[in-house]
Amino acid sequence: MTDADRLRRLLGGADTTWLVKRVRQRLERGGALTGTVTLAGATPSQRRAVELLLGRRAGTGASLSVSLAEVDRVLRTSGVSPGGLAAAVEALDGPVRDVAREQADLAAAWASAFARLDEALGSRPELAEWRDRLDSSGLVRRLTIGPGEAAELLRRLAAVVRGLPAAGVPLGRFSAETCGNAHALDDGQPLATLAVSCARAIAGLPFRADGGAESRRDTWAAVGVHLDELSSTVLCLGLPGDSGTATGRMLAAMRGEPVSLTLRQLRRHPAPMRAGLVRICENPVVLTAAADALGLSCPPLVCCNGRPSAAVWRLLELLAEGSAEFAYHGDFDWGGVAIAAAVRSRIGWRPWRYDAAAYLEAASDTPLAGRPAPTPWDPSLATVMAERGVRVEEEQVLPHLIAELHAGTAH
């Protein structure tokens, strides 16, 4: 049984606090009480305390070294602490934490918290990098107070992941359907921060926890979720319209001029739109140039204006329902390739001067930056873009695009 009074006199004073602290730290890390511990710049009183503990002189150097095995032996044989040094430290300063076990338990708790999300991501290899960034950035841990709270947050995030991309739904409805709460994805909510970062990954955008209001609006739109029906718009030119609907009559009346349609108009359009071959471009400058050059004779043309908004998707879907075929052109850079791939996977298209041959014909000395991406409509395009290393914007090939619009061809 430990002799508490003698133990406090030998090891419990201010002059041996450093030794007790070093021993506790070693025990908490799971280390053995072997070797020595050294105190640089020991005071005379600290040196005398060690001499009293060990029953011998402790040397005369500037530092003070103590053998842990010797202290353990002294405590056991003297009867001060039959359980040795480890028992003495606990008697003086309370139980020793098992830090290794605590860390293992915490890691297991976090793994359990992420289990539902990881299950949802099992069939989403395109989100593997985003999942890794959640860990490396510590975003979830910053947004929650521990794995218990995180588990519920990540359970709802898993439902959001399963619902993306969506098919042109309002944010409130999407939130209610996936999270059981129409306001769970409102700005400022921890779940919204995580959901926006996921949406950015699905849209092929760089990892970021959040951004400004416009960035969040564009990110949601890129995965088929809109914040309201009026701010989401699409530019078009040359759509024939019809005489039986409000939107159709407006398109017919504005034939030859670029028209901006809101998501509200398109969601209320009652029937498929029939337009034959529809060309899709990435930038509004193509519509402007086509209207100036061709006017009323311009064939149907729809502008993505960067990453497609909910209104863009809705218009393309209405045209697809009307049996339209699509031909696509965009910027020859990796961002443009990602946009093109997203449109192709959703509605399908054939290239409109958007292949390796057209890229090699275009003059440019602007360096190509970013991460290469595949071009499944023409695999050689990605290869020659990487080899040539320049970007070609639509503005640089406008004459060719206008000439083909005039001729009514696409290849």
Side-chain angles (χ1 to χ4, degrees):
M1 181 175 179
T2 300
D3 187 333
D5 290 337
R6 291 177 63 197
L7 179 61
R8 280 194 296 271
R9 288 196 299 271
L10 286 175
L11 202 57
D15 291 324
T16 53
T17 298
W18 71 274
L19 178 57
V20 172
K21 182 178 179 181
R22 298 279 189 88
V23 172
R24 175 174 287 275
Q25 289 172 342
R26 185 172 291 195
L27 291 171
E28 287 178 344
R29 295 194 301 268
L33 297 184
T34 58
T36 62
V37 292
T38 301
L39 177 66
T43 65
S45 62
Q46 288 171 326
R47 191 176 298 278
R48 283 194 300 272
V50 169
E51 290 174 345
L52 178 63
L53 173 63
L54 299 178
R56 63 172 178 79
R57 289 184 60 80
T60 59
S63 61
L64 176 61
S65 294
V66 178
S67 166
L68 296 181
E70 184 179 3
V71 174
D72 184 76
R73 178 184 58 76
V74 167
L75 292 173
R76 290 178 187 274
T77 58
S78 67
V80 172
S81 177
L85 181 53
V89 168
E90 289 197 329
L92 289 169
D93 202 27
V96 173
R97 295 168 52 207
D98 186 342
V99 174
R101 177 177 292 278
E102 289 176 7
Q103 291 175 339
D105 289 346
L106 183 61
W110 275 110
S112 178
F114 273 94
R116 295 288 289 275
L117 177 62
D118 289 337
E119 180 183 349
L121 295 174
S123 59
R124 304 291 294 271
E126 75 277 15
L127 293 177
E129 184 177 353
W130 170 73
R131 173 64 179 86
D132 290 341
R133 290 297 295 271
L134 286 184
D135 282 339
S136 63
S137 68
L139 178 59
V140 176
R141 299 179 187 232
R142 294 199 305 272
L143 292 172
T144 60
I145 60 174
E149 182 182 37
E152 174 59 19
L153 182 67
L154 294 169
R155 181 190 67 78
R156 291 187 291 162
L157 180 61
V160 171
V161 169
R162 290 189 177 96
L164 292 177
V169 299
L171 180 62
R173 191 176 102 195
F174 177 75
S175 181
E177 291 175 349
T178 56
C179 307
N181 182 341
H183 298 287
L185 296 174
D186 287 356
D187 287 350
Q189 296 292 329
L191 181 59
T193 299
L194 293 169
V196 168
S197 76
C198 176
R200 290 182 64 82
I202 292 172
L205 299 169
F207 181 89
R208 188 167 66 194
D210 208 340
E214 189 63 28
S215 172
R216 290 192 295 272
R217 183 186 303 277
D218 291 345
T219 298
W220 280 122
V223 293
V225 179
H226 59 85
L227 273 61
D228 63 72
E229 293 184 321
L230 296 179
S231 62
S232 181
T233 62
V234 54
L235 291 168
C236 58
L237 172 67
L239 295 183
D242 60 63
S243 60
T245 66
T247 299
R249 288 190 293 272
M250 183 182 75
L251 288 171
M254 294 292 291
R255 190 79 180 264
E257 286 295 327
V259 175
S260 179
L261 300 175
T262 67
L263 180 61
R264 180 181 176 85
Q265 289 171 288
L266 294 167
R267 288 178 64 84
R268 284 158 176 73
H269 189 75
M273 291 185 175
R274 305 194 182 281
L277 176 64
V278 177
R279 291 162 178 81
I280 304 171
C281 62
E282 185 180 337
N283 299 287
V285 66
V286 180
L287 265 75
T288 302
D292 290 343
L294 303 176
L296 290 170
S297 64
C298 184
L301 184 61
V302 173
C303 177
C304 287
N305 199 10
R307 293 193 171 273
S309 66
V312 172
W313 290 126
R314 179 58 181 159
L315 176 58
L316 294 178
E317 288 165 356
L318 285 170
L319 290 165
E321 290 168 7
S323 300
E325 296 182 358
F326 299 97
Y328 187 93
H329 188 277
D331 290 335
F332 287 106
D333 58 23
W334 299 123
V337 164
I339 295 169
V343 176
R344 183 174 182 268
S345 67
R346 190 148 171 177
I347 64 163
W349 48 259
R350 66 177 185 263
W352 170 30
R353 294 195 61 83
Y354 200 58
D355 51 23
Y359 172 72
L360 292 172
E361 288 176 12
S364 177
D365 57 4
T366 304
L368 177 64
R371 179 180 299 177
T375 52
W377 60 93
D378 180 4
S380 62
L381 173 58
T383 301
V384 297
M385 284 176 64
E387 291 173 350
R388 187 182 178 197
V390 299
R391 63 177 300 191
V392 180
E393 298 177 336
E394 283 189 308
E395 292 87 340
Q396 296 171 271
V397 295
L398 270 177
H400 297 291
L401 299 179
I402 300 304
E404 290 201 356
L405 285 170
H406 182 73
T409 62
H411 69 273

